[in-house]
């Protein structure tokens, strides 16, 4: 069996994380829906004249849910976690590739620098001087 490339492994890892996040969101939505349904059922059982009783369990659950929703640390540092995960997925060039392409870039810079210098000194400057002597006479 052939080995997966880094890109394939990264895509599989991302897909797995997305499935996990989706499952967590679905579970949270199901919990919030069931809690809301239970509260409505309790309210409808009470009748008009019956005094509502406050249950400490319901208050604790509500407090826990509110506490769960107000965690700014996850949101605050989520960007850095995403950056770290993305940097793991990057396919970095080898040292040999970096040296080779650095040489190509330096060579291109030298070539075009010399080309512009020759063009400027041997073509453009004499042409401008020739035009200056014609118009000045």
């Amino acid at each position: 069996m052939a080995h997966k490339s880094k890109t394939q492994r990264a895509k599989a890892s991302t897909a797995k994380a997305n499935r996990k996040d989706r499952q967590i969101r679905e579970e949270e939505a199901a919990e919030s829906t069931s809690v809301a349904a239970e509260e409505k059922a309790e309210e409808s059982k009470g009748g008009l004249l019956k005094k509502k009783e406050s249950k400490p369990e319901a208050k604790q659950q509500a407090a826990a849910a509110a506490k769960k929703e107000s965690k700014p640390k996850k949101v605050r540092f989520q960007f850095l976690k995403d950056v770290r995960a993305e940097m793991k997925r990057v396919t970095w060039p080898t040292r040999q590739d970096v040296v080779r392409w650095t040489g190509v870039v330096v060579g291109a810079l030298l070539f075009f620098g010399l080309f512009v210098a020759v063009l400027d000194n041997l073509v453009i400057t004499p042409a401008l001087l020739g035009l200056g002597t014609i118009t000045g006479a």
Side-chain angles (χ1 to χ4, degrees), residues 8-49:
Q8 290 171 328
R9 287 193 306 259
K11 286 180 179 179
S13 174
T14 303
K16 184 177 179 182
N18 288 341
R19 283 192 303 269
K20 187 176 180 181
D21 288 343
R22 192 178 328 116
Q23 182 181 8
I24 290 171
R25 278 189 253 118
E26 288 173 357
E27 289 173 359
E28 288 175 353
E31 283 180 16
S32 65
T33 305
S34 64
V35 169
E38 288 175 7
E39 289 175 358
K40 287 182 180 180
E42 287 179 11
E43 288 177 9
S44 64
K45 287 179 185 177
L48 293 175
L49 301 175

Side-chain angles (χ1 to χ4, degrees), residues 91-110:
T91 304
W92 295 100
T94 63
R95 182 176 179 87
Q96 183 181 5
D97 288 341
V98 171
V99 170
R100 183 182 312 138
W101 287 108
T102 302
V104 169
V105 169
V106 170
L109 287 172
L110 289 173

Side-chain angles (χ1 to χ4, degrees), residues 67-115:
K67 197 176 202 181
K68 192 183 244 186
E69 292 175 4
S70 64
K71 286 189 177 180
K73 284 187 178 181
K74 281 190 175 180
V75 175
R76 183 181 303 154
F77 296 109
Q78 186 63 39
F79 174 73
L80 296 176
K81 289 179 183 178
D82 291 343
V83 168
R84 185 175 181 190
E86 191 67 29
M87 293 305 283
K88 287 181 180 179
R89 292 186 197 115
V90 171
T91 304
W92 295 100
T94 63
R95 182 176 179 87
Q96 183 181 5
D97 288 341
V98 171
V99 170
R100 183 182 312 138
W101 287 108
T102 302
V104 169
V105 169
V106 170
L109 287 172
L110 289 173
F111 172 77
F112 285 109
L114 287 172
F115 179 75

Side-chain angles (χ1 to χ4, degrees), residues 42-55 59:
E42 287 179 11
E43 288 177 9
S44 64
K45 287 179 185 177
L48 293 175
L49 301 175
K50 188 173 181 180
K51 188 175 183 181
K52 291 185 181 178
E53 297 177 14
S54 61
K55 293 184 179 181
K59 287 182 181 178

